Amino acid sequence: MKHQLVITWITIITLSSCVQKSKSKTEVQNTKPVSYTTKVVVPELNIPSGMAFLPDASLLITEKTGELLLFKNKKTINIEAIPKVHWAGQGGLLDVAIHPNYKKNGWLYLIYISKTEKEKGSHTELMRAKIKNDSLVEKQVLYKTSTNKKIVQHFGSRITFDNDGNLYFSIGDPANKNSNAQDITRDGGKIYRINDDGTIPTDNPFVIVPNAKTAIYSYGHRNSQGLTLHPKTGALWSNEHGVNGGDEINIIESGKNYGWPIITYALTYKNTKISQITEKEGMEQPLYYWNPSIAPSGMTFVTSDKYPNWKNNILTGSLKRQHLERLVLKDNKVINREILFNDIGRVRNVIEGPDGYLYIAVEGLGILKIIEQTEKGL
Protein backbone atom coordinates (compact mmCIF):
# COMPACT_ATOMS: atom_id res chain seq x y z
CA MET A 1 0.00 0.00 0.00
CA LYS A 2 1.15 3.56 -0.64
CA HIS A 3 1.33 4.50 3.02
CA GLN A 4 3.86 1.73 3.67
CA LEU A 5 6.51 3.06 1.30
CA VAL A 6 9.92 3.68 2.84
CA ILE A 7 11.90 6.82 2.19
CA THR A 8 13.93 7.15 -0.99
CA TRP A 9 17.22 9.02 -1.18
CA ILE A 10 17.46 11.41 -4.12
CA THR A 11 20.22 13.14 -5.98
CA ILE A 12 21.28 16.29 -4.18
CA ILE A 13 20.48 19.52 -5.98
CA THR A 14 23.13 22.22 -5.73
CA LEU A 15 22.13 25.46 -4.09
CA SER A 16 23.09 27.51 -7.11
CA SER A 17 19.97 26.23 -8.88
CA CYS A 18 17.60 26.72 -5.96
CA VAL A 19 18.86 29.30 -3.50
CA GLN A 20 19.58 32.89 -4.36
CA LYS A 21 22.99 34.32 -3.39
CA SER A 22 24.61 30.98 -2.53
CA LYS A 23 27.35 29.52 -4.68
CA SER A 24 28.68 26.87 -2.29
CA LYS A 25 28.15 23.21 -3.03
CA THR A 26 25.45 21.28 -1.25
CA GLU A 27 26.81 19.21 1.61
CA VAL A 28 25.89 15.56 1.98
CA GLN A 29 25.27 14.25 5.47
CA ASN A 30 27.53 11.45 6.64
CA THR A 31 24.99 10.03 9.10
CA LYS A 32 23.69 6.59 8.28
CA PRO A 33 20.15 6.82 6.88
CA VAL A 34 17.36 5.17 8.85
CA SER A 35 14.46 3.54 7.04
CA TYR A 36 11.09 4.94 8.00
CA THR A 37 7.61 3.91 7.07
CA THR A 38 4.13 5.20 7.89
CA LYS A 39 1.21 3.84 9.85
CA VAL A 40 -2.35 5.08 9.30
CA VAL A 41 -3.75 6.26 12.63
CA VAL A 42 -6.85 8.15 11.42
CA PRO A 43 -8.20 6.42 8.31
CA GLU A 44 -10.71 7.30 5.60
CA LEU A 45 -10.34 11.07 5.48
CA ASN A 46 -11.11 13.06 2.36
CA ILE A 47 -8.97 16.24 2.37
CA PRO A 48 -7.47 16.62 5.86
CA SER A 49 -5.85 20.02 6.13
CA GLY A 50 -5.34 21.28 9.67
CA MET A 51 -4.17 19.31 12.73
CA ALA A 52 -3.79 20.29 16.37
CA PHE A 53 -3.13 18.05 19.37
CA LEU A 54 -5.04 18.81 22.57
CA PRO A 55 -3.39 18.46 26.01
CA ASP A 56 -4.97 15.01 26.47
CA ALA A 57 -3.24 13.87 23.21
CA SER A 58 -6.51 13.76 21.26
CA LEU A 59 -6.26 15.27 17.79
CA LEU A 60 -8.35 17.97 16.12
CA ILE A 61 -8.53 17.65 12.33
CA THR A 62 -10.10 19.95 9.76
CA GLU A 63 -11.59 18.44 6.64
CA LYS A 64 -11.41 20.98 3.83
CA THR A 65 -14.94 19.98 2.91
CA GLY A 66 -16.21 21.59 6.11
CA GLU A 67 -15.95 19.20 9.04
CA LEU A 68 -14.09 19.55 12.32
CA LEU A 69 -13.14 16.13 13.70
CA LEU A 70 -11.84 15.05 17.09
CA PHE A 71 -9.88 11.79 17.10
CA LYS A 72 -9.91 10.42 20.63
CA ASN A 73 -9.52 6.92 22.05
CA LYS A 74 -9.28 5.52 18.51
CA LYS A 75 -12.66 7.00 17.59
CA THR A 76 -13.49 9.94 15.32
CA ILE A 77 -16.07 12.41 16.59
CA ASN A 78 -17.74 15.07 14.43
CA ILE A 79 -17.76 18.39 16.29
CA GLU A 80 -21.12 20.09 15.83
CA ALA A 81 -22.08 23.75 15.39
CA ILE A 82 -19.05 24.68 13.31
CA PRO A 83 -19.28 27.83 11.17
CA LYS A 84 -20.81 27.57 7.72
CA VAL A 85 -17.94 26.90 5.34
CA HIS A 86 -17.81 27.67 1.62
CA TRP A 87 -16.08 24.68 0.02
CA ALA A 88 -15.10 25.59 -3.54
CA GLY A 89 -11.84 25.31 -5.44
CA GLN A 90 -9.01 25.76 -2.95
CA GLY A 91 -11.35 27.13 -0.29
CA GLY A 92 -12.97 25.40 2.66
CA LEU A 93 -12.16 24.71 6.30
CA LEU A 94 -8.40 25.13 6.14
CA ASP A 95 -6.64 25.12 9.51
CA VAL A 96 -7.03 24.74 13.25
CA ALA A 97 -4.79 25.76 16.13
CA ILE A 98 -5.14 25.80 19.91
CA HIS A 99 -4.23 28.59 22.30
CA PRO A 100 -0.86 28.16 24.05
CA ASN A 101 -2.78 28.23 27.36
CA TYR A 102 -5.52 25.91 26.13
CA LYS A 103 -5.53 23.99 29.42
CA LYS A 104 -6.66 27.16 31.19
CA ASN A 105 -8.87 28.90 28.64
CA GLY A 106 -10.01 26.22 26.14
CA TRP A 107 -9.76 28.46 23.08
CA LEU A 108 -9.27 26.93 19.64
CA TYR A 109 -8.91 28.85 16.38
CA LEU A 110 -10.27 28.05 12.92
CA ILE A 111 -9.61 29.71 9.58
CA TYR A 112 -12.04 29.06 6.74
CA ILE A 113 -13.78 30.51 3.70
CA SER A 114 -17.30 31.94 4.04
CA LYS A 115 -19.89 33.12 1.57
CA THR A 116 -23.51 34.20 1.99
CA GLU A 117 -26.18 33.47 -0.59
CA LYS A 118 -26.35 37.16 -1.57
CA GLU A 119 -22.59 37.55 -2.10
CA LYS A 120 -20.94 36.91 -5.45
CA GLY A 121 -17.59 36.22 -3.86
CA SER A 122 -16.19 34.82 -0.64
CA HIS A 123 -14.22 35.94 2.41
CA THR A 124 -11.61 34.47 4.69
CA GLU A 125 -12.68 34.34 8.33
CA LEU A 126 -10.71 33.59 11.49
CA MET A 127 -12.80 32.39 14.43
CA ARG A 128 -12.12 31.32 17.99
CA ALA A 129 -14.40 29.01 19.95
CA LYS A 130 -14.50 26.37 22.66
CA ILE A 131 -15.66 22.76 22.65
CA LYS A 132 -18.40 21.68 25.02
CA ASN A 133 -20.26 18.38 24.72
CA ASP A 134 -18.69 17.79 21.27
CA SER A 135 -20.02 21.10 19.98
CA LEU A 136 -18.50 24.54 19.37
CA VAL A 137 -19.61 27.23 21.80
CA GLU A 138 -18.66 30.86 22.49
CA LYS A 139 -17.88 31.40 18.81
CA GLN A 140 -16.26 34.73 17.96
CA VAL A 141 -15.16 35.90 14.50
CA LEU A 142 -11.86 37.72 15.10
CA TYR A 143 -11.03 38.69 11.52
CA LYS A 144 -12.94 38.78 8.25
CA THR A 145 -11.36 39.96 5.02
CA SER A 146 -12.99 42.87 3.27
CA THR A 147 -12.00 41.49 -0.11
CA ASN A 148 -14.97 39.85 -1.81
CA LYS A 149 -13.20 37.25 -3.93
CA LYS A 150 -14.85 35.67 -6.96
CA ILE A 151 -11.72 33.60 -7.57
CA VAL A 152 -11.68 30.29 -5.67
CA GLN A 153 -7.93 29.85 -5.27
CA HIS A 154 -4.89 31.10 -3.34
CA PHE A 155 -6.51 31.27 0.09
CA GLY A 156 -3.35 30.30 1.94
CA SER A 157 -4.68 30.12 5.48
CA ARG A 158 -2.35 28.70 8.10
CA ILE A 159 -2.38 29.64 11.79
CA THR A 160 0.37 29.61 14.41
CA PHE A 161 1.27 31.31 17.69
CA ASP A 162 4.63 32.76 18.65
CA ASN A 163 6.31 32.41 22.04
CA ASP A 164 4.70 35.63 23.28
CA GLY A 165 1.17 34.46 22.50
CA ASN A 166 0.69 36.52 19.33
CA LEU A 167 -1.43 34.81 16.67
CA TYR A 168 -0.27 34.75 13.02
CA PHE A 169 -2.27 33.70 10.00
CA SER A 170 -1.73 33.78 6.24
CA ILE A 171 -4.11 34.81 3.47
CA GLY A 172 -3.12 34.28 -0.15
CA ASP A 173 -3.20 36.67 -3.09
CA PRO A 174 -6.37 36.02 -5.10
CA ALA A 175 -4.83 36.39 -8.56
CA ASN A 176 -1.59 36.78 -10.48
CA LYS A 177 -2.93 39.88 -12.21
CA ASN A 178 -4.43 42.83 -10.32
CA SER A 179 -2.56 41.60 -7.28
CA ASN A 180 -3.41 42.76 -3.76
CA ALA A 181 -0.10 41.57 -2.34
CA GLN A 182 1.69 44.95 -2.60
CA ASP A 183 -1.27 46.99 -1.34
CA ILE A 184 -1.38 47.24 2.46
CA THR A 185 -4.83 48.84 2.32
CA ARG A 186 -6.28 45.59 0.95
CA ASP A 187 -6.38 42.04 2.21
CA GLY A 188 -4.67 39.15 0.44
CA GLY A 189 -1.05 38.21 -0.13
CA LYS A 190 -0.23 38.94 3.50
CA ILE A 191 0.74 37.39 6.81
CA TYR A 192 -1.20 38.90 9.71
CA ARG A 193 -0.57 39.24 13.45
CA ILE A 194 -3.26 39.82 16.06
CA ASN A 195 -3.69 39.33 19.78
CA ASP A 196 -5.43 36.15 20.90
CA ASP A 197 -8.74 38.07 21.30
CA GLY A 198 -8.59 39.66 17.82
CA THR A 199 -7.32 43.06 18.88
CA ILE A 200 -4.33 44.55 17.09
CA PRO A 201 -0.88 44.61 18.76
CA THR A 202 0.23 48.20 19.23
CA ASP A 203 3.64 47.44 17.68
CA ASN A 204 2.27 46.02 14.44
CA PRO A 205 4.16 47.68 11.57
CA PHE A 206 1.27 49.55 9.91
CA VAL A 207 -0.87 50.67 12.84
CA ILE A 208 -0.23 54.36 12.14
CA VAL A 209 -0.35 54.14 8.33
CA PRO A 210 -3.54 55.78 6.98
CA ASN A 211 -6.08 53.28 5.58
CA ALA A 212 -3.75 50.31 6.10
CA LYS A 213 -5.03 46.96 7.31
CA THR A 214 -3.49 47.20 10.75
CA ALA A 215 -3.42 43.42 11.28
CA ILE A 216 -0.83 43.05 8.49
CA TYR A 217 2.58 41.87 9.66
CA SER A 218 4.29 41.25 6.29
CA TYR A 219 3.24 41.54 2.66
CA GLY A 220 4.23 40.64 -0.89
CA HIS A 221 3.28 36.97 -0.51
CA ARG A 222 1.53 34.81 -3.08
CA ASN A 223 -0.01 31.85 -1.28
CA SER A 224 1.46 30.76 2.03
CA GLN A 225 0.32 27.32 3.20
CA GLY A 226 3.05 26.73 5.78
CA LEU A 227 3.74 28.72 8.97
CA THR A 228 5.96 27.52 11.80
CA LEU A 229 8.32 28.82 14.50
CA HIS A 230 12.02 28.07 14.56
CA PRO A 231 12.47 25.95 17.71
CA LYS A 232 15.61 27.79 18.86
CA THR A 233 15.28 31.38 17.64
CA GLY A 234 11.49 31.68 17.82
CA ALA A 235 11.49 33.31 14.36
CA LEU A 236 8.46 32.85 12.12
CA TRP A 237 9.12 30.81 8.96
CA SER A 238 6.76 30.51 6.01
CA ASN A 239 6.54 28.64 2.75
CA GLU A 240 4.48 29.78 -0.21
CA HIS A 241 3.44 28.65 -3.64
CA GLY A 242 5.00 30.11 -6.74
CA VAL A 243 3.41 29.52 -10.13
CA ASN A 244 5.49 27.44 -12.50
CA GLY A 245 8.47 27.23 -10.14
CA GLY A 246 9.40 29.89 -7.63
CA ASP A 247 7.93 28.27 -4.51
CA GLU A 248 9.64 29.93 -1.55
CA ILE A 249 10.69 29.62 2.07
CA ASN A 250 11.01 32.91 3.93
CA ILE A 251 11.88 34.06 7.43
CA ILE A 252 9.12 36.53 8.22
CA GLU A 253 9.96 39.88 9.78
CA SER A 254 7.73 42.76 10.79
CA GLY A 255 6.83 45.15 7.97
CA LYS A 256 8.98 43.43 5.34
CA ASN A 257 7.97 43.15 1.67
CA TYR A 258 8.58 39.72 0.16
CA GLY A 259 8.19 40.86 -3.40
CA TRP A 260 5.27 39.13 -5.06
CA PRO A 261 4.52 39.79 -7.91
CA ILE A 262 7.18 42.49 -8.51
CA ILE A 263 10.07 40.05 -8.03
CA THR A 264 9.72 36.30 -8.44
CA TYR A 265 11.58 33.25 -9.69
CA ALA A 266 8.33 31.81 -11.05
CA LEU A 267 7.19 31.60 -14.65
CA THR A 268 3.64 31.50 -15.94
CA TYR A 269 2.16 28.13 -16.84
CA LYS A 270 3.00 29.03 -20.45
CA ASN A 271 6.68 29.39 -19.46
CA THR A 272 6.75 33.15 -19.93
CA LYS A 273 8.15 35.55 -17.34
CA ILE A 274 5.83 36.95 -14.70
CA SER A 275 8.42 39.61 -13.87
CA GLN A 276 11.59 40.74 -15.62
CA ILE A 277 13.44 41.01 -12.31
CA THR A 278 14.20 38.70 -9.38
CA GLU A 279 15.69 41.30 -7.04
CA LYS A 280 14.76 44.83 -6.02
CA GLU A 281 15.86 47.11 -3.22
CA GLY A 282 13.41 47.06 -0.33
CA MET A 283 12.16 43.56 -1.17
CA GLU A 284 13.32 40.40 0.56
CA GLN A 285 15.03 37.47 -1.12
CA PRO A 286 13.73 34.00 -0.25
CA LEU A 287 15.85 31.87 2.02
CA TYR A 288 15.22 29.05 -0.47
CA TYR A 289 13.17 28.48 -3.59
CA TRP A 290 12.17 25.48 -5.70
CA ASN A 291 12.43 25.14 -9.45
CA PRO A 292 10.46 23.20 -10.59
CA SER A 293 7.55 23.77 -8.24
CA ILE A 294 6.54 21.24 -5.59
CA ALA A 295 3.48 23.20 -4.34
CA PRO A 296 4.55 23.27 -0.66
CA SER A 297 1.94 22.83 2.04
CA GLY A 298 2.15 22.60 5.85
CA MET A 299 5.62 22.51 7.36
CA THR A 300 7.37 22.00 10.68
CA PHE A 301 10.80 21.80 12.27
CA VAL A 302 11.83 18.42 13.67
CA THR A 303 12.75 18.67 17.36
CA SER A 304 12.08 15.09 18.50
CA ASP A 305 14.81 12.65 19.51
CA LYS A 306 12.83 9.93 17.73
CA TYR A 307 14.34 11.12 14.42
CA PRO A 308 18.00 11.77 15.27
CA ASN A 309 19.07 12.14 11.62
CA TRP A 310 16.33 14.70 11.02
CA LYS A 311 16.68 16.89 14.11
CA ASN A 312 16.39 20.64 13.37
CA ASN A 313 15.49 19.90 9.74
CA ILE A 314 12.41 21.31 8.02
CA LEU A 315 9.70 18.98 6.77
CA THR A 316 7.20 20.27 4.23
CA GLY A 317 4.42 18.58 2.34
CA SER A 318 4.16 18.66 -1.43
CA LEU A 319 0.79 18.80 -3.12
CA LYS A 320 2.03 18.71 -6.70
CA ARG A 321 4.79 16.09 -6.34
CA GLN A 322 2.88 14.08 -3.71
CA HIS A 323 5.64 13.52 -1.20
CA LEU A 324 7.04 14.79 2.06
CA GLU A 325 10.26 16.76 1.70
CA ARG A 326 13.10 17.10 4.20
CA LEU A 327 15.37 20.15 4.05
CA VAL A 328 18.66 20.14 5.95
CA LEU A 329 19.76 23.53 7.29
CA LYS A 330 23.09 25.07 8.19
CA ASP A 331 23.34 28.74 9.18
CA ASN A 332 19.85 29.36 7.80
CA LYS A 333 20.76 27.89 4.41
CA VAL A 334 19.38 24.74 2.85
CA ILE A 335 22.33 22.43 2.20
CA ASN A 336 20.52 19.20 1.37
CA ARG A 337 17.06 18.03 0.40
CA GLU A 338 15.48 14.59 0.46
CA ILE A 339 12.21 13.22 -0.86
CA LEU A 340 10.34 11.04 1.64
CA PHE A 341 7.50 8.65 0.81
CA ASN A 342 7.46 9.41 -2.90
CA ASP A 343 4.01 9.24 -4.53
CA ILE A 344 2.26 8.75 -1.19
CA GLY A 345 -0.39 11.29 -2.18
CA ARG A 346 -1.03 14.99 -1.76
CA VAL A 347 0.55 15.82 1.61
CA ARG A 348 -1.35 18.74 3.10
CA ASN A 349 0.23 19.05 6.51
CA VAL A 350 2.91 17.76 8.86
CA ILE A 351 3.16 18.31 12.62
CA GLU A 352 5.08 16.89 15.56
CA GLY A 353 2.91 15.31 18.24
CA PRO A 354 3.30 15.46 22.02
CA ASP A 355 4.60 11.86 21.86
CA GLY A 356 7.52 13.03 19.71
CA TYR A 357 6.26 11.31 16.57
CA LEU A 358 5.62 13.10 13.28
CA TYR A 359 2.15 13.02 11.73
CA ILE A 360 1.25 13.81 8.13
CA ALA A 361 -2.15 14.56 6.59
CA VAL A 362 -2.56 12.92 3.17
CA GLU A 363 -5.55 13.36 0.88
CA GLY A 364 -7.60 10.20 0.46
CA LEU A 365 -5.63 8.32 3.14
CA GLY A 366 -5.96 10.16 6.43
CA ILE A 367 -3.48 10.96 9.20
CA LEU A 368 -0.28 8.92 9.09
CA LYS A 369 2.35 8.45 11.78
CA ILE A 370 6.01 8.24 10.74
CA ILE A 371 7.78 5.33 12.41
CA GLU A 372 10.95 3.33 11.95
CA GLN A 373 10.66 0.12 9.98
CA THR A 374 11.40 -1.78 13.21
CA GLU A 375 8.32 -0.20 14.83
CA LYS A 376 5.82 -1.51 12.29
CA GLY A 377 3.97 -3.43 14.98
CA LEU A 378 3.13 -0.28 16.96
Side-chain angles (χ1 to χ4, degrees):
M1 295 177 67
K2 284 184 179 180
H3 60 266
Q4 293 176 327
L5 292 174
V6 298
I7 59 176
T8 303
W9 291 89
I10 63 167
T11 303
I12 304 305
I13 298 178
T14 60
L15 292 182
S16 59
S17 66
C18 293
V19 185
Q20 184 69 9
K21 294 184 177 178
S22 180
K23 303 299 183 181
S24 61
K25 289 186 177 180
T26 307
E27 297 180 12
V28 180
Q29 287 186 306
N30 294 320
T31 52
K32 183 179 179 180
V34 178
S35 292
Y36 293 98
T37 187
T38 60
K39 177 184 177 70
V40 177
V41 291
V42 187
E44 300 178 356
L45 299 180
N46 185 11
I47 312 176
S49 183
M51 295 185 285
F53 278 97
L54 298 181
D56 65 358
S58 59
L59 179 62
L60 286 169
I61 305 162
T62 60
E63 277 272 24
K64 184 167 167 280
T65 50
E67 296 173 282
L68 178 63
L69 308 175
L70 178 63
F71 183 72
K72 185 175 183 178
N73 299 326
K74 298 183 179 181
K75 294 182 180 179
T76 303
I77 302 166
N78 276 71
I79 302 300
E80 302 295 331
I82 67 169
K84 186 176 181 180
V85 172
H86 180 56
W87 175 39
Q90 296 176 8
L93 181 54
L94 298 175
D95 204 11
V96 59
I98 66 168
H99 194 283
N101 291 323
Y102 182 87
K103 277 187 176 182
K104 292 183 178 180
N105 61 37
W107 287 117
L108 64 86
Y109 296 77
L110 298 170
I111 193 164
Y112 55 92
I113 309 308
S114 67
K115 179 179 180 294
T116 67
E117 293 181 0
K118 295 181 180 181
E119 292 177 318
K120 295 181 179 179
S122 59
H123 305 267
T124 301
E125 290 187 12
L126 177 75
M127 171 184 284
R128 74 173 179 175
K130 298 180 181 181
I131 296 177
K132 183 177 181 180
N133 298 324
D134 298 332
S135 183
L136 287 190
V137 298
E138 299 185 44
K139 294 178 284 187
Q140 303 171 9
V141 174
L142 304 185
Y143 196 88
K144 180 177 181 178
T145 61
S146 57
T147 305
N148 191 265
K149 292 171 54 172
K150 297 181 182 180
I151 299 170
V152 291
Q153 61 190 25
H154 305 173
F155 291 102
S157 300
R158 285 290 175 200
I159 314 170
T160 195
F161 282 86
D162 68 15
N163 294 330
D164 296 320
N166 297 302
L167 186 156
Y168 297 83
F169 57 99
S170 62
I171 298 177
D173 187 26
N176 296 338
K177 295 181 179 180
N178 303 316
S179 169
N180 292 344
Q182 291 294 317
D183 187 349
I184 62 172
T185 70
R186 302 174 69 187
D187 287 306
K190 316 292 192 307
I191 291 173
Y192 301 75
R193 182 177 74 158
I194 60 174
N195 295 316
D196 61 358
D197 62 356
T199 57
I200 305 300
T202 57
D203 60 344
N204 264 13
F206 304 111
V207 290
I208 62 172
V209 177
N211 302 317
K213 299 289 183 181
T214 55
I216 294 172
Y217 189 72
S218 64
Y219 64 109
H221 302 285
R222 184 172 183 265
N223 185 18
S224 175
Q225 294 191 24
L227 281 178
T228 191
L229 290 190
H230 191 286
K232 293 183 178 179
T233 67
L236 181 67
W237 289 48
S238 168
N239 69 30
E240 64 182 76
H241 288 230
V243 188
N244 185 6
D247 304 335
E248 296 182 359
I249 291 180
N250 291 292
I251 300 176
I252 305 303
E253 297 183 56
S254 176
K256 294 292 182 69
N257 181 353
Y258 290 82
W260 175 261
I262 305 301
I263 61 172
T264 178
Y265 292 91
L267 300 174
T268 69
Y269 294 115
K270 295 181 180 179
N271 287 318
T272 58
K273 288 186 176 182
I274 292 173
S275 173
Q276 298 300 314
I277 58 174
T278 57
E279 294 185 46
K280 187 174 182 180
E281 186 176 355
M283 296 183 181
E284 302 302 304
Q285 283 293 299
L287 177 138
Y288 182 80
Y289 68 92
W290 285 269
N291 272 326
S293 172
I294 69 164
S297 50
M299 71 174 186
T300 193
F301 284 91
V302 181
T303 66
S304 172
D305 291 332
K306 293 187 180 295
Y307 310 91
N309 289 4
W310 296 1
K311 201 159 186 181
N312 300 317
N313 296 173
I314 289 177
L315 295 182
T316 183
S318 167
L319 298 174
K320 184 175 182 180
R321 305 296 175 182
Q322 301 193 21
H323 63 245
L324 185 67
E325 186 150 328
R326 180 172 74 97
L327 301 175
V328 182
L329 298 168
K330 184 178 180 181
D331 300 326
N332 281 348
K333 294 180 181 178
V334 175
I335 61 170
N336 185 12
R337 59 182 291 223
E338 178 190 9
I339 288 176
L340 312 174
F341 315 117
N342 199 24
D343 293 326
I344 196 172
R346 286 166 59 85
V347 179
R348 286 206 163 263
N349 207 351
V350 54
I351 64 172
E352 194 173 278
D355 58 1
Y357 284 97
L358 292 161
Y359 294 82
I360 56 175
V362 183
E363 288 187 20
L365 284 179
I367 308 304
L368 283 63
K369 181 179 183 179
I370 300 177
I371 58 175
E372 284 191 36
Q373 283 285 87
T374 56
E375 297 178 288
K376 288 179 70 173
L378 282 179

